[in-house]
Amino acid sequence: MNRKTITLTVNDRDHELRVEPQWTLAQVLRDELNLTGTKVACGQGACGSCTVIADGLAVPSCLMLAVEQEGRKIYTVESLAADGNLHPLQETWLEEYAAQCGFCASGMIMGAKALLDKEDDPSVDRIKRALSGNLCICSNYDHIIAAVQNAARKLGERA
């Protein structure tokens, strides 16, 4: 065992952890912090199911070593709901039937969140580009795009 002690800031909380140098951020989130909303499918950064937000950017956590994430602000899908209320993206995901099997949902939602944090009213083309690293095996893209558009509208109304 060659574990190193690191501090990760995840969902606005600091976590001191002892990790192996080769552990990915996805592994640590799921196995050490029990944040299982972050899914791991391909493990190669190709599908987007493990997408989290790190310092404002949507990134595949399966490609990031946990030991290299100290000092970054990391957010998972668990950070979205507050006080028993779903985030507008989560609400619209349900309303628009954007999740069929649901495996891509958390990664898609986090990719969409990173986009909506920067753009109030993104075009369909911009949504497609922002989510281009996330695959939906059910091919539910029209519903996903509608969910992002409606979440943008809801966020605008709440502002």
Side-chain angles (χ1 to χ4, degrees), residues 51-72:
T51 300
V52 298
I53 297 175
D55 290 342
L57 300 174
V59 295
S61 61
C62 72
L63 294 182
M64 305 171 71
L65 293 176
V67 295
E68 295 178 344
Q69 305 315 307
E70 283 192 288
R72 298 183 85 180

Side-chain angles (χ1 to χ4, degrees), residues 68-87:
E68 295 178 344
Q69 305 315 307
E70 283 192 288
R72 298 183 85 180
K73 290 186 183 290
I74 299 163
Y75 294 93
T76 69
V77 72
E78 287 89 352
S79 71
L80 298 183
D83 301 322
N85 297 310
L86 294 177
H87 184 278

Side-chain angles (χ1 to χ4, degrees), residues 7-61:
T7 301
L8 292 181
T9 304
V10 180
N11 301 336
D12 293 323
R13 292 186 50 215
D14 290 338
H15 302 272
E16 189 172 296
L17 304 156
R18 292 192 42 77
V19 301
E20 293 287 334
Q22 73 277 9
W23 286 357
T24 65
L25 177 58
Q27 284 177 280
V28 170
L29 292 172
R30 291 183 56 79
D31 300 338
E32 302 300 311
L33 297 179
N34 201 34
L35 296 171
T36 57
T38 301
K39 306 298 183 208
V40 179
C42 73
Q44 299 175 359
C47 73
S49 68
C50 67
T51 300
V52 298
I53 297 175
D55 290 342
L57 300 174
V59 295
S61 61

Side-chain angles (χ1 to χ4, degrees), residues 89 93 108-109 111-131 144-156:
L89 275 165
W93 230 258
M108 287 275 193
I109 288 171
K113 170 107 173 51
L115 171 64
L116 295 180
D117 284 348
K118 293 180 175 79
E119 296 183 33
D120 294 337
D121 187 23
S123 67
V124 170
D125 185 56
R126 185 66 188 108
I127 294 168
K128 287 179 180 179
R129 280 186 281 136
L131 299 180
I144 290 166
I145 291 166
V148 176
Q149 290 176 310
N150 287 337
R153 182 186 45 75
K154 282 186 177 194
L155 287 166

